[in-house]
Amino acid sequence: MSDHLEPYDSPQHRDETAIAGMWLFLASEILLFGGLFLIFVVYSHTHAAGWALGVRHTSLTIGGINTALLLTSSMLYTLGVEAARNENAGGIIRAGLGAAALGVTFLCLKGWEWHTELGEHLFPGPGFAIGGPQAGGAQLFYSFYFLSTALHGLHMLVGIGLIAWVCLQIYRGRGRPLRVMPVEVVGLYWSFVDLVWVLLFPVLYLIGRV
């Protein structure tokens, strides 16, 4: 990884700026996802019966497996951050690749879940599978479901790309002093993606199911 300092006064100044920049970016992301959760609060109350009907059509099994995958992925990447602090390049690469592989598995399962749901005509619009007086609320739920999982999936793709970039840079820089900051900054982003899913999981799969 490059050690150019300009326009920074010192390596510490550069690293602190990078960390602060990531926190600022995550704050803007919180506003984005906060708006989504506001939609959940409003429509899950104003269309409670239809919303709950939509929740009961989601796959709790796939949602649960994906939650376990993402939590394990975050734990693995945390081990990578610890490896970076101990200047263990091999440990960073192994943990990073493991975390990325679990992230890819998550996306494959989510893609399969979407494929099944689209086949069951659960995408909002003409031909929506759920009829009756609660159809409107169920369509609102699935609008929220597809929008929130698509946004989260896009963030996961970015995160997997960043983890792959860190692993590649560490591999290319073998034998040179390790920089912990890039590993930590990507770790912050990956933890945020994990946190968003931990909040989405009960909203999409649990609340209203029983």
Side-chain angles (χ1 to χ4, degrees):
M1 298 181 189
S2 173
D3 264 340
H4 295 312
L5 288 179
E6 293 181 1
Y8 309 105
D9 298 331
S10 64
Q12 182 181 0
H13 180 213
R14 175 197 57 201
D15 293 352
E16 287 175 351
T17 302
I19 295 285
M22 176 53 77
W23 277 114
L24 187 61
F25 171 73
L26 294 181
S28 68
E29 293 290 283
I30 289 171
L31 291 177
L32 170 67
F33 282 99
L36 270 180
F37 284 107
L38 182 60
I39 291 173
F40 155 71
V41 170
V42 172
Y43 287 117
S44 66
H45 283 81
T46 56
H47 298 76
W51 191 278
L53 191 57
V55 170
R56 289 196 288 274
H57 277 77
T58 57
S59 172
L60 183 57
T61 301
I62 294 179
I65 292 172
N66 266 346
T67 302
L69 286 173
L70 207 48
L71 289 174
T72 306
S73 174
S74 281
M75 183 189 70
L76 269 179
Y77 196 83
T78 301
L79 292 177
V81 173
E82 282 304 306
R85 290 169 180 163
N86 292 319
E87 301 188 358
N88 178 359
I92 300 170
I93 294 173
R94 286 191 295 275
L97 291 180
L102 290 175
V104 170
T105 306
F106 175 104
L107 289 178
C108 289
L109 272 176
K110 176 49 71 182
W112 173 255
E113 190 178 9
W114 266 36
H115 173 75
T116 303
E117 289 159 345
L118 292 175
E120 294 174 352
H121 303 288
L122 289 171
F123 191 83
F128 187 65
I130 300 175
Q134 307 305 334
Q139 291 209 47
L140 283 172
F141 168 80
Y142 269 100
S143 297
F144 175 83
Y145 170 88
F146 282 109
L147 176 61
S148 60
T149 53
L151 270 177
H152 181 259
L154 284 174
H155 281 73
M156 283 204 65
L157 279 176
V158 172
I160 291 167
L162 288 172
I163 292 173
W165 174 79
V166 163
C167 291
L168 183 62
Q169 296 301 312
I170 295 292
Y171 179 77
R172 286 178 173 171
R174 298 187 311 277
R176 292 189 300 220
L178 274 172
R179 282 183 58 203
V180 178
M181 181 273 294
V183 184
E184 289 186 334
V185 168
V186 172
L188 278 176
Y189 180 85
W190 196 241
S191 295
F192 173 77
V193 172
D194 182 13
L195 174 63
V196 170
W197 180 256
V198 167
L199 294 174
L200 279 176
F201 174 67
V203 169
L204 299 177
Y205 296 93
L206 297 179
I207 298 174
R209 181 170 288 274
V210 293

